[in-house]
Amino acid sequence: MYRGREGQWAFVLHRVTGVAVALFLLLHVIDISLVMFGPEGPFEAFLVFYHNWPFRIGLIMVIAAVVYHGLNGLRIILMDFTTWGVRYQKHMWYGVLGLTTIIGIPVLLKVVPEILRGA
Amino acid sequence: MQITVKIKRFDPEADTRPRWVEYQLDVDPTERVLDVINHIKWELDGSLAFRRSCAHGICGSDAMLINGVNRLACKVLVQDLGNRITVEPIRGLEVKKDLIVDMEPFFDSYRAVLPYFINDEPPPPTERLQSPEERAVFDETTKCILCAACTTSCPVFWTNGSYVGPASIVNAHRFIFDSRDRGTLERLEVLNQSNGLWRCRTAYNCTEACPRDIPVTQAIEEVRRAMLFRG
Ligand code: FES
């Protein structure tokens, strides 16, 4: 493993979250489209299935991935289009991680109790 | 100081894949990695192959992957690495033997960006004058020694060897932003191709690796903006 620093990990995370969100979107399009078989059909079965705790954890991760990918995208835009962005790329990356965590807290507060309650 | 040096070696006549070889030796903490591998070659194992020339960080021949980061062996001290040192050839270029890689693809990309002064206008009776401010614009990118530490630290280059790479963009920057030069359009044409500068994913490994402290990513972004906003 090359011992890169912040920039390398920002790039790796951006790629991983990008692929993850794209795959999730594909799955989402498929399961939503199952509604054409009627409200009681496979669509409903999928919704129930998604309430299992591994998918709840997956939900937290998908939200984190979307938020990280979006915020880091803004960081990249600032690096591309301002003269100062590159100089502050490390600061901005820590900002992205911090904001992703802060935005994730309400998600955790909502979803984690649901998992524990088995709801 | 007792140290262990692990070197990734490859002999094309005997090996099918690279192998790690460990050497134990006693060195002074203020010696450089280049001194250490010289010790190994001269006293322990004469078959070890690597490039070096100036030994003072200016010829650019001894870029290596040292403890997981690209550096010049002649510019890093043992005391800054501790007593376990690993040395590998730089990545993304074909290994010829031990630490020697085929630099030709790297120099091909370098030549592709026309890294020389272009100006067909008739020479003025005196010099082509340039103000200190005009000179300062490309000051950093004049410092490149073509060691390939940046290009071979780039994750994009590892997976796509035809990416023109940070070193070439740095050398294009040096002339694109030279007020006396007139070859900008030709260079941007080369860099605008599919394996050109849009491939950069701003991983910053190049900037961290440069032994001359050139702000490589900054230079890449400046050339990109020149490309976007040229008249
Ligand atoms: S030997 Fe010349 S740069 Fe290191």
Side-chain angles (χ1 to χ4, degrees), chain B residues 34 52-62 72 74 145:
Chain B
L34 180 60
R52 83 270 181 264
S53 180
C54 71
H56 290 84
I58 203 63
C59 73
S61 31
D62 62 344
L72 296 178
C74 62
I145 55 173

Side-chain angles (χ1 to χ4, degrees), chain B residues 4 37-38 42 52 68 77 89 121 143 156 167 182 190 227:
Chain B
T4 307
I37 53 181
N38 273 336
W42 295 337
R52 83 270 181 264
L77 300 181
E121 294 161 11
K143 297 175 183 167
V156 179
R182 298 289 175 265
V190 177
M227 182 109 77

Side-chain angles (χ1 to χ4, degrees), chain A residues 50-96:
Chain A
Y50 284 156
H51 269 72
N52 286 316
W53 64 268
F55 290 99
R56 293 296 184 101
I57 293 177
L59 175 70
I60 298 174
M61 284 166 49
V62 163
I63 294 173
V66 169
V67 173
Y68 174 83
H69 199 83
L71 291 174
N72 195 53
L74 294 176
R75 168 178 166 269
I76 294 172
I77 289 172
L78 289 175
M79 297 181 326
D80 283 346
F81 289 99
T82 68
T83 50
W84 50 267
V86 165
R87 240 180 357 262
Y88 294 103
Q89 61 97 3
K90 288 181 187 171
H91 307 77
M92 290 197 291
W93 189 58
Y94 288 117
V96 166

Side-chain angles (χ1 to χ4, degrees), chain A residues 1-9 11 15 75-76 78-87 89-90, chain B residues 65-71 91 153 155 158 201-205 208-209 217-218 221 224-225 228-229:
Chain A
M1 179 58 80
Y2 191 88
R3 283 190 24 242
R5 302 192 47 180
E6 289 87 345
Q8 175 179 289
W9 298 115
F11 154 71
R15 179 63 54 92
R75 168 178 166 269
I76 294 172
L78 289 175
M79 297 181 326
D80 283 346
F81 289 99
T82 68
T83 50
W84 50 267
V86 165
R87 240 180 357 262
Q89 61 97 3
K90 288 181 187 171
Chain B
L65 185 52
I66 300 170
N67 283 16
V69 184
N70 277 2
R71 325 183 206 218
R91 290 189 189 159
S153 75
W158 296 334
R201 290 290 176 276
T202 56
Y204 289 91
N205 283 0
E208 307 279 359
T217 313
Q218 178 74 31
E221 294 286 14
R224 278 176 168 179
R225 287 194 287 269
L228 275 181
F229 303 119

Side-chain angles (χ1 to χ4, degrees), chain B residues 105-172:
Chain B
F106 173 79
F107 288 124
D108 285 342
S109 310
Y110 168 64
R111 284 182 216 109
V113 301
L114 317 175
Y116 40 80
F117 186 66
I118 300 175
N119 189 332
D120 295 336
E121 294 161 11
T126 59
E127 313 93 310
R128 296 179 199 267
L129 283 181
Q130 186 167 55
S131 72
E133 291 75 25
E134 285 170 331
R135 175 62 174 71
V137 176
F138 61 95
D139 188 53
E140 297 285 359
T141 46
T142 61
K143 297 175 183 167
C144 177
I145 55 173
L146 294 173
C147 66
C150 59
T151 295
T152 59
S153 75
C154 173
V156 179
F157 181 75
W158 296 334
T159 53
N160 172 9
S162 5
Y163 168 44
V164 65
S168 305
I169 304 174
V170 159
N171 284 282

